[in-house]
Amino acid sequence: MAFAAGFGLDIALTVVSLAAAFVPASQETQCRVGIGSKTRTTAGLDLSGGNYPHMFLYDTRGELIDYSIGGGSAEQASNDIVGFATGTSTSPEYMMIQASTTDATCISYISLTSAANDQRTWHAGYIKQCAAIADQNQLWYPSPEFIPGTDFHPGCVWLSDDDRFLKAISFKLTDFGFPESETAQRAQAQYTQFPNTLCQAPARMAMWTTPPVDCVPVYLEEEQRDGTTGFDLDFQKIVDGHALVCDMKDAKTLNQNIQPGQGPKTLNAKQLADEKAAADAAQAATNEAGTNTNAPPPGAGGFGGTVGSIPAGSSGGVAGTTPAVGVGNFGGVLGSIPNPDVVQPTKRSKRSNTRQVQGRSTRDSRRQVLDRREVLRREKDHCVDRLVISHFGDHSATEVCQMTNSWGPDFVSVVEGLYCDMCERELWQLCSVTTTSGCFDLERKEVRHKALGAEGEDYIDLRKKFEIISEWE
């Protein structure tokens, strides 16, 4: 099975393939948190790590079992194990990870082994798959963190205890750890074909901007599966058939409706077919009874005209008539008549749009770049003075530049031969023997802008001065 993150690809992993990620069973539940690039054997500057989050475990009814207070910094090149006093009689069903500080943390994966040796997992690839519902919120960034036992890099999701990122994520542990590859592939097929069953199902996975205090959304009834497809039997129950077992009036999610029974309408393939067949039968019945007010009158053609023929004159009008001045052969007025009620669509300019720009030609435009960069500096955006250079084949500068929900340092994909300026969302080729200007110099770690004249007092230098550089290989 290929392990790759991305919508429509296999990101559902089996428990067998994840064996190396789990901690051996003990008298308490053991949890390993993959933070940024902490599993690298070689210590180095870490640009996608951070502090440990708060973690909460819940039973099948959404009641809190135990919790761990985070805040401590994860040591370089390691992923510490956190213990929970759950006992052997209770296996956690739900989990919530919550930012512990305003210093953003990038979470890659969670692996958990209960005292009863039940093994559960979750990873950031699922958040990436749901990025479409997040509008322009900053969520995801590549990471060198791979899930132990695989070559899969799920990337990581940013959490912080302020308004920049998500504050917490909750998920149903048993819906993301699969006992065999066939089950995993079926789950991924459903999440791809019917994304609401992952991204708009808050009991399965919820993205919190204001997390709940005492509980998480839960399913009080066991989810039923289709014996043929392996999909959930009732998609609507998955989307909004959950229960809230505590007061959540102040809790807020990221474009998800947590109120039971109020989620978006989501039907499976059979339900869609049955609904269409019922609608067609109802329309046919009203047509036959003559009660369908939208049906064409008797004797009418398919476009509402009377069946029959009308003799046409040589100019295309009715025989014996002459088209009026300015009228075309089909009766329309020649030229165009503006309609004041029609609003012409406009394109909205967003910083997240990728622009293939190879250097700027005016002093004003260069000044605007520096002004934007200064705003981002005040917002502590990593794109201002940090750089990641990745040698991994599944890391893409194009992807991170074009993704409206990505956030992090400037990014180089050596394999692609591209550099992404994350502040401007611009892609540049890496400099080479044949490309010597309007490119990114990997050795000097700077863009070679096309010459715009001598460097006098009016010259504005757009080259960044990276204070932190991390190389992933």
Side-chain angles (χ1 to χ4, degrees), residues 213-224:
V213 177
D214 298 318
C215 70
V216 292
V218 296
Y219 298 119
L220 295 180
E221 297 180 4
E222 184 178 357
E223 305 109 290
Q224 302 296 314

Side-chain angles (χ1 to χ4, degrees), residues 155-415:
C156 56
V157 56
W158 293 102
L159 299 180
S160 66
D161 193 22
D162 54 25
D163 295 329
R164 293 181 297 160
F165 309 105
L166 294 175
K167 290 186 178 179
I169 302 167
S170 62
F171 41 86
K172 189 173 187 292
L173 286 160
T174 50
D175 283 2
F176 297 99
F178 307 98
E180 55 191 20
S181 60
E182 183 179 3
T183 308
Q185 290 168 355
R186 286 178 170 180
Q188 181 55 30
Q190 176 183 313
Y191 296 160
T192 302
Q193 296 174 39
F194 304 94
N196 278 2
T197 61
L198 172 66
C199 307
Q200 294 287 359
R204 176 161 283 165
M205 185 174 73
M207 296 176 282
W208 300 96
T209 55
T210 303
V213 177
D214 298 318
C215 70
V216 292
V218 296
Y219 298 119
L220 295 180
E221 297 180 4
E222 184 178 357
E223 305 109 290
Q224 302 296 314
R225 302 282 180 177
D226 184 284
T228 302
T229 64
F231 290 4
D232 291 309
L233 195 60
D234 190 333
F235 287 174
Q236 200 62 49
K237 283 186 177 181
I238 295 299
V239 169
D240 61 13
H242 55 275
L244 305 181
V245 295
C246 69
D247 184 1
M248 288 196 183
K249 65 179 181 180
D250 295 326
K252 296 180 181 178
T253 56
L254 183 63
N255 299 330
Q256 295 171 296
N257 194 328
I258 61 173
Q259 293 303 316
Q262 296 184 21
K265 185 175 182 180
T266 307
L267 304 180
N268 61 31
K270 182 178 183 304
Q271 289 169 329
L272 288 170
D274 291 346
E275 184 179 73
K276 184 178 185 304
D280 290 346
Q283 182 169 330
T286 57
N287 288 348
E288 185 175 349
T291 58
N292 185 357
T293 58
N294 294 322
F303 295 95
T306 303
V307 176
S309 62
I310 299 176
S314 60
S315 298
V318 178
T321 67
T322 303
V325 176
V327 176
N329 289 339
F330 294 94
V333 178
L334 297 177
S336 61
I337 301 176
N339 185 345
D341 297 326
V342 176
V343 179
Q344 296 300 321
T346 59
K347 292 185 177 180
R348 183 175 57 164
S349 176
K350 300 185 296 183
R351 184 172 70 90
S352 55
N353 285 344
T354 302
R355 300 190 297 275
Q356 300 284 348
V357 178
Q358 301 295 318
R360 297 174 179 274
S361 59
T362 70
R363 186 178 188 278
D364 288 343
S365 63
R366 294 163 80 86
R367 171 56 63 187
Q368 290 169 5
V369 172
L370 294 186
D371 290 344
R372 282 194 296 269
R373 197 179 295 173
E374 184 56 34
V375 172
L376 294 169
R377 185 189 303 277
R378 291 195 295 268
E379 295 174 351
K380 299 181 180 180
D381 198 307
H382 286 186
C383 70
V384 175
D385 56 9
R386 304 186 185 193
L387 173 68
V388 164
I389 302 169
S390 175
H391 295 263
F392 291 113
D394 58 349
H395 282 175
S396 168
T398 303
E399 177 185 55
V400 74
C401 232
Q402 293 178 343
M403 185 178 179
T404 60
N405 308 104
S406 60
W407 184 92
D410 283 6
F411 193 82
V412 169
S413 168
V414 176
V415 174

